[in-house]
Amino acid sequence: CVTLDVQAACRDTTVTQELLKVGFHRDLLVKVELGEDAGGCAVAAQVRLPPGVYVDPYELGTLQQHNQTKAVLFPDVIDVEAPEYLARGVLLLLFLEPDARCPRCFCAAVPVHARYHRPAEGTQEALVVLESPEVLLCCCHSHLSAECWEPAEVDAPCSSDTTGSCQWHSTKHRPAYEESMLRVPVGLREHSSLVCALTLLTTGLCSGLILAAACKYGHF
């Protein structure tokens, strides 16, 4: 009975994530409502991004300079031009800000971008699954309930402004959060021959026009 009471008490922490906007360039919004007061604690969401999406480190750096978001990427070097089938997943530690309308609520948003996928057969969309974030707390002067929080294996600073690592904690008992789905437009394999023919024709035509202009107006 004691175990059931502890689990019930620890289920109060909830997290939701939303993908805003449409197309390849979206905003990932993460909202967290803690089950206990986290005064003096840093609150973050650990998001595992699959190879189908990425965060542009240069864009993230610009946003952090303007204090519009705070986050850390692992690894911090990302090939933003790689297609989905040549890319790797990344780990995003997104620092959350308090919500003035809710004393135990925190939220933050970060731009994410979809990668190009291989052409598919019979469908014009590829599904990218974003797992639910893990809620993390870093408390320097506050005590967390041992029944609900345990040390997490996260080697990261307490904020995006510091370099030294600190001890993060994660929830022991949390509800089963829903995953988010990102639908990415893809080409059809049955159109490959047509696309190759049109590409070759366009390339030849443009090359001919450039060569004709060079012969007519060029000075040799």
mmCIF file of all heavy atoms in Angstrom, residues 8-27:
data_model
loop_
_atom_site.group_PDB
_atom_site.id
_atom_site.type_symbol
_atom_site.label_atom_id
_atom_site.label_comp_id
_atom_site.label_asym_id
_atom_site.label_seq_id
_atom_site.Cartn_x
_atom_site.Cartn_y
_atom_site.Cartn_z
ATOM 1 N N ALA A 8 1.372 7.062 -6.710
ATOM 2 C CA ALA A 8 0.266 7.979 -6.992
ATOM 3 C C ALA A 8 0.685 9.417 -6.752
ATOM 4 O O ALA A 8 0.325 10.328 -7.497
ATOM 5 C CB ALA A 8 -0.933 7.609 -6.122
ATOM 6 N N ALA A 9 1.475 9.637 -5.681
ATOM 7 C CA ALA A 9 1.922 10.996 -5.377
ATOM 8 C C ALA A 9 2.893 11.507 -6.420
ATOM 9 O O ALA A 9 2.974 12.703 -6.691
ATOM 10 C CB ALA A 9 2.560 11.033 -4.002
ATOM 11 N N CYS A 10 3.666 10.612 -7.038
ATOM 12 C CA CYS A 10 4.681 11.028 -7.990
ATOM 13 C C CYS A 10 4.136 11.176 -9.409
ATOM 14 O O CYS A 10 4.873 11.600 -10.288
ATOM 15 C CB CYS A 10 5.832 10.032 -8.001
ATOM 16 S SG CYS A 10 6.734 9.947 -6.430
ATOM 17 N N ARG A 11 2.913 10.846 -9.643
ATOM 18 C CA ARG A 11 2.365 10.941 -10.989
ATOM 19 C C ARG A 11 1.861 12.341 -11.324
ATOM 20 O O ARG A 11 1.317 12.559 -12.384
ATOM 21 C CB ARG A 11 1.206 9.929 -11.156
ATOM 22 C CG ARG A 11 1.664 8.493 -11.272
ATOM 23 C CD ARG A 11 0.554 7.631 -11.851
ATOM 24 N NE ARG A 11 0.951 6.232 -11.892
ATOM 25 C CZ ARG A 11 0.505 5.294 -11.078
ATOM 26 N NH1 ARG A 11 -0.355 5.621 -10.122
ATOM 27 N NH2 ARG A 11 0.914 4.048 -11.184
ATOM 28 N N ASP A 12 2.013 13.275 -10.391
ATOM 29 C CA ASP A 12 1.475 14.613 -10.616
ATOM 30 C C ASP A 12 2.259 15.404 -11.657
ATOM 31 O O ASP A 12 1.735 16.329 -12.244
ATOM 32 C CB ASP A 12 1.441 15.402 -9.298
ATOM 33 C CG ASP A 12 0.431 14.828 -8.321
ATOM 34 O OD1 ASP A 12 -0.540 14.204 -8.784
ATOM 35 O OD2 ASP A 12 0.623 15.007 -7.118
ATOM 36 N N THR A 13 3.519 15.087 -11.864
ATOM 37 C CA THR A 13 4.321 15.802 -12.851
ATOM 38 C C THR A 13 3.883 15.402 -14.258
ATOM 39 O O THR A 13 3.874 14.221 -14.590
ATOM 40 C CB THR A 13 5.817 15.489 -12.674
ATOM 41 O OG1 THR A 13 6.244 15.977 -11.398
ATOM 42 C CG2 THR A 13 6.643 16.155 -13.764
ATOM 43 N N THR A 14 3.525 16.385 -15.070
ATOM 44 C CA THR A 14 3.066 16.120 -16.439
ATOM 45 C C THR A 14 3.883 16.935 -17.427
ATOM 46 O O THR A 14 4.374 18.017 -17.107
ATOM 47 C CB THR A 14 1.576 16.466 -16.613
ATOM 48 O OG1 THR A 14 1.373 17.857 -16.298
ATOM 49 C CG2 THR A 14 0.712 15.614 -15.698
ATOM 50 N N VAL A 15 4.023 16.402 -18.622
ATOM 51 C CA VAL A 15 4.755 17.093 -19.687
ATOM 52 C C VAL A 15 4.016 16.911 -20.993
ATOM 53 O O VAL A 15 3.490 15.836 -21.289
ATOM 54 C CB VAL A 15 6.200 16.567 -19.804
ATOM 55 C CG1 VAL A 15 6.226 15.083 -20.063
ATOM 56 C CG2 VAL A 15 6.963 17.291 -20.903
ATOM 57 N N THR A 16 3.939 17.965 -21.770
ATOM 58 C CA THR A 16 3.323 17.920 -23.090
ATOM 59 C C THR A 16 4.247 18.603 -24.083
ATOM 60 O O THR A 16 5.013 19.500 -23.719
ATOM 61 C CB THR A 16 1.951 18.626 -23.126
ATOM 62 O OG1 THR A 16 2.117 20.001 -22.718
ATOM 63 C CG2 THR A 16 0.963 17.942 -22.194
ATOM 64 N N GLN A 17 4.199 18.167 -25.332
ATOM 65 C CA GLN A 17 4.982 18.805 -26.380
ATOM 66 C C GLN A 17 4.093 18.986 -27.606
ATOM 67 O O GLN A 17 3.254 18.143 -27.917
ATOM 68 C CB GLN A 17 6.225 17.995 -26.715
ATOM 69 C CG GLN A 17 5.968 16.597 -27.250
ATOM 70 C CD GLN A 17 7.257 15.862 -27.580
ATOM 71 O OE1 GLN A 17 8.348 16.418 -27.500
ATOM 72 N NE2 GLN A 17 7.139 14.614 -27.979
ATOM 73 N N GLU A 18 4.307 20.096 -28.291
ATOM 74 C CA GLU A 18 3.539 20.423 -29.484
ATOM 75 C C GLU A 18 4.484 20.849 -30.599
ATOM 76 O O GLU A 18 5.500 21.497 -30.345
ATOM 77 C CB GLU A 18 2.545 21.556 -29.208
ATOM 78 C CG GLU A 18 1.519 21.273 -28.142
ATOM 79 C CD GLU A 18 0.615 22.483 -27.924
ATOM 80 O OE1 GLU A 18 0.014 22.964 -28.903
ATOM 81 O OE2 GLU A 18 0.541 22.958 -26.773
ATOM 82 N N LEU A 19 4.115 20.499 -31.826
ATOM 83 C CA LEU A 19 4.833 20.972 -32.999
ATOM 84 C C LEU A 19 4.007 22.075 -33.636
ATOM 85 O O LEU A 19 2.909 21.836 -34.144
ATOM 86 C CB LEU A 19 5.057 19.818 -33.989
ATOM 87 C CG LEU A 19 6.161 18.829 -33.596
ATOM 88 C CD1 LEU A 19 6.095 17.591 -34.464
ATOM 89 C CD2 LEU A 19 7.534 19.477 -33.714
ATOM 90 N N LEU A 20 4.526 23.292 -33.583
ATOM 91 C CA LEU A 20 3.826 24.452 -34.108
ATOM 92 C C LEU A 20 4.245 24.711 -35.552
ATOM 93 O O LEU A 20 5.276 24.240 -36.005
ATOM 94 C CB LEU A 20 4.111 25.679 -33.247
ATOM 95 C CG LEU A 20 3.889 25.503 -31.737
ATOM 96 C CD1 LEU A 20 4.241 26.783 -31.004
ATOM 97 C CD2 LEU A 20 2.452 25.094 -31.444
ATOM 98 N N LYS A 21 3.443 25.460 -36.284
ATOM 99 C CA LYS A 21 3.671 25.806 -37.680
ATOM 100 C C LYS A 21 3.485 24.574 -38.576
ATOM 101 O O LYS A 21 3.091 23.502 -38.105
ATOM 102 C CB LYS A 21 5.053 26.433 -37.893
ATOM 103 C CG LYS A 21 5.301 27.694 -37.071
ATOM 104 C CD LYS A 21 6.694 28.237 -37.327
ATOM 105 C CE LYS A 21 6.966 29.482 -36.497
ATOM 106 N NZ LYS A 21 8.338 30.003 -36.714
ATOM 107 N N VAL A 22 3.771 24.733 -39.865
ATOM 108 C CA VAL A 22 3.638 23.638 -40.824
ATOM 109 C C VAL A 22 4.892 23.584 -41.699
ATOM 110 O O VAL A 22 5.692 24.506 -41.715
ATOM 111 C CB VAL A 22 2.379 23.815 -41.715
ATOM 112 C CG1 VAL A 22 1.118 23.732 -40.879
ATOM 113 C CG2 VAL A 22 2.423 25.152 -42.463
ATOM 114 N N GLY A 23 5.037 22.483 -42.434
ATOM 115 C CA GLY A 23 6.148 22.362 -43.356
ATOM 116 C C GLY A 23 7.390 21.776 -42.712
ATOM 117 O O GLY A 23 7.338 21.074 -41.699
ATOM 118 N N PHE A 24 8.550 22.062 -43.324
ATOM 119 C CA PHE A 24 9.819 21.520 -42.863
ATOM 120 C C PHE A 24 10.382 22.268 -41.660
ATOM 121 O O PHE A 24 11.235 21.745 -40.956
ATOM 122 C CB PHE A 24 10.848 21.559 -44.001
ATOM 123 C CG PHE A 24 10.736 20.410 -44.960
ATOM 124 C CD1 PHE A 24 9.774 20.406 -45.950
ATOM 125 C CD2 PHE A 24 11.603 19.324 -44.872
ATOM 126 C CE1 PHE A 24 9.667 19.354 -46.843
ATOM 127 C CE2 PHE A 24 11.507 18.259 -45.754
ATOM 128 C CZ PHE A 24 10.533 18.273 -46.745
ATOM 129 N N HIS A 25 9.934 23.488 -41.431
ATOM 130 C CA HIS A 25 10.503 24.324 -40.377
ATOM 131 C C HIS A 25 9.427 24.569 -39.313
ATOM 132 O O HIS A 25 8.449 25.284 -39.555
ATOM 133 C CB HIS A 25 11.015 25.639 -40.958
ATOM 134 C CG HIS A 25 11.929 25.443 -42.133
ATOM 135 N ND1 HIS A 25 13.215 24.952 -41.997
ATOM 136 C CD2 HIS A 25 11.726 25.637 -43.470
ATOM 137 C CE1 HIS A 25 13.775 24.864 -43.196
ATOM 138 N NE2 HIS A 25 12.891 25.264 -44.101
ATOM 139 N N ARG A 26 9.634 23.974 -38.145
ATOM 140 C CA ARG A 26 8.627 23.990 -37.098
ATOM 141 C C ARG A 26 9.209 24.540 -35.802
ATOM 142 O O ARG A 26 10.421 24.769 -35.688
ATOM 143 C CB ARG A 26 8.109 22.562 -36.857
ATOM 144 C CG ARG A 26 7.764 21.773 -38.119
ATOM 145 C CD ARG A 26 6.501 22.282 -38.770
ATOM 146 N NE ARG A 26 5.330 21.907 -38.016
ATOM 147 C CZ ARG A 26 4.652 20.762 -38.191
ATOM 148 N NH1 ARG A 26 5.060 19.876 -39.089
ATOM 149 N NH2 ARG A 26 3.566 20.505 -37.481
ATOM 150 N N ASP A 27 8.342 24.721 -34.820
ATOM 151 C CA ASP A 27 8.750 25.071 -33.459
ATOM 152 C C ASP A 27 8.284 23.965 -32.527
ATOM 153 O O ASP A 27 7.107 23.574 -32.563
ATOM 154 C CB ASP A 27 8.144 26.405 -33.017
ATOM 155 C CG ASP A 27 8.841 27.598 -33.641
ATOM 156 O OD1 ASP A 27 9.983 27.432 -34.102
ATOM 157 O OD2 ASP A 27 8.247 28.694 -33.674
#
